[in-house]
Amino acid sequence: THYAITLHRSAIGLPDKTSRTLEALGIHRRMQTVYHRFSPDIAGKILAVKELVQVRNVPASAVRTPEEARNERRAVRGYEVV
Amino acid sequence: MFGPFRSSAVALGGLVWKSPWRLSPTRKANQRLRLKRVDSVIEAVAASGVQCKALVQALALPKQDEMPAKDKYTTFNRTSRGFRKGVHKVPKFTRLSLRENPQGF
C-alpha cells in the first residue's frame, strides 16, 4: 500500500525541476527513505526522478517514521553473560 | 592556481583530459546495471496499480534487454559523423534516460 522511496543519486547539477520534485517527495539527502501511500501524483513524481531513486512496494505495517527507524537502528543497552 | 583548470605544464600538454570515443567493457556493464535499476523502478510503480500518463509513457520505453547495443551505449547527435556519439559524452548521462533516438538514426 506504500512506496518506500530511497534517494541513491543526488540532483546536483540537474535542472531545478528535478530537485523540486525531490523536495515535494520529502527527500532532503542521499540514502534517505520516505514512505508514501499509492497514488497517481506520487507515481508521477517518482517517474520524474526515476534515474535517481529506488522504489519498493511495502505494506502499511512496514512504514516507519524517521524516529521509529532511528530507534530500530539503535544498539540495545546492556549485555548478556553467555 | 586552484580549481580544475590549472595552467600547469602537465595540463597544457593536452593529455590529461583525454576521453576515449567509446565505452570500455566495465563502463558498458555499469550502464546496463543502471538501465536495469530504472527498469525496476518503473516495474515497481506499475505493480502498485495506479494509472497515470507518466506511467504509460514510461512503460512505452524499451527495457534494457530489449535495447540494441547501439542505443545503450550511443545517442543521437546531429553534428557527429554517423549522427551518433558515445553516451558518456552527454553531461550527467548516468542520471538521465537516453533510451529513444529519432527514427532511422
Side-chain angles (χ1 to χ4, degrees):
Chain A
T1 53
H2 284 71
Y3 299 116
I5 308 162
T6 308
L7 184 69
H8 281 280
R9 317 286 310 269
S10 92
I12 296 171
L14 294 180
D16 287 342
K17 209 155 67 158
T18 316
S19 40
R20 283 194 220 128
T21 306
L22 292 174
E23 196 185 335
L25 284 168
I27 300 173
H28 294 102
R29 65 197 73 82
R30 251 190 90 219
M31 310 314 252
Q32 183 180 5
T33 306
V34 148
Y35 298 92
H36 284 290
R37 199 166 270 286
F38 287 166
S39 78
D41 48 302
I42 297 292
K45 285 173 193 154
I46 292 171
L47 291 170
V49 294
K50 58 186 178 311
E51 299 83 13
L52 312 177
V53 130
Q54 283 289 288
V55 174
R56 287 177 305 126
N57 294 334
V58 299
S61 54
V63 173
R64 300 276 177 273
T65 66
E67 294 79 21
E68 286 171 357
R70 188 164 174 240
N71 282 326
E72 280 181 357
R73 282 194 299 267
R74 184 169 269 150
V76 174
R77 281 197 180 275
Y79 57 88
E80 255 179 49
V81 177
V82 172
Chain B
M1 186 160 76
F2 300 112
F5 302 114
R6 276 166 267 196
S7 55
S8 63
V10 181
L12 292 171
L15 297 173
V16 177
W17 294 307
K18 278 193 291 193
S19 171
W21 67 274
R22 58 188 168 177
L23 277 83
S24 71
T26 319
R27 287 180 101 171
K28 285 181 184 171
N30 289 332
Q31 173 76 349
R32 291 192 297 271
L33 271 175
R34 264 179 254 121
L35 290 168
K36 274 190 215 158
R37 285 208 185 105
V38 174
D39 286 341
S40 77
V41 170
I42 299 173
E43 243 178 65
V45 175
S48 70
V50 297
Q51 289 180 350
C52 60
K53 189 161 137 197
L55 183 58
V56 170
Q57 287 176 344
L59 289 170
L61 292 172
K63 285 204 201 312
Q64 183 260 324
D65 26 349
E66 297 163 9
M67 288 171 77
K70 193 171 158 193
D71 281 346
K72 279 190 264 202
Y73 314 127
T74 65
T75 45
F76 173 75
N77 176 242
R78 63 181 73 223
T79 61
S80 297
R81 189 135 184 229
F83 298 99
R84 283 268 177 164
K85 73 174 183 182
V87 74
H88 63 299
K89 303 269 176 180
V90 174
K92 321 283 190 297
F93 78 101
T94 57
R95 295 186 278 163
L96 294 174
S97 278
L98 301 165
R99 301 201 186 206
E100 307 218 281
N101 298 289
Q103 264 209 347
F105 291 100

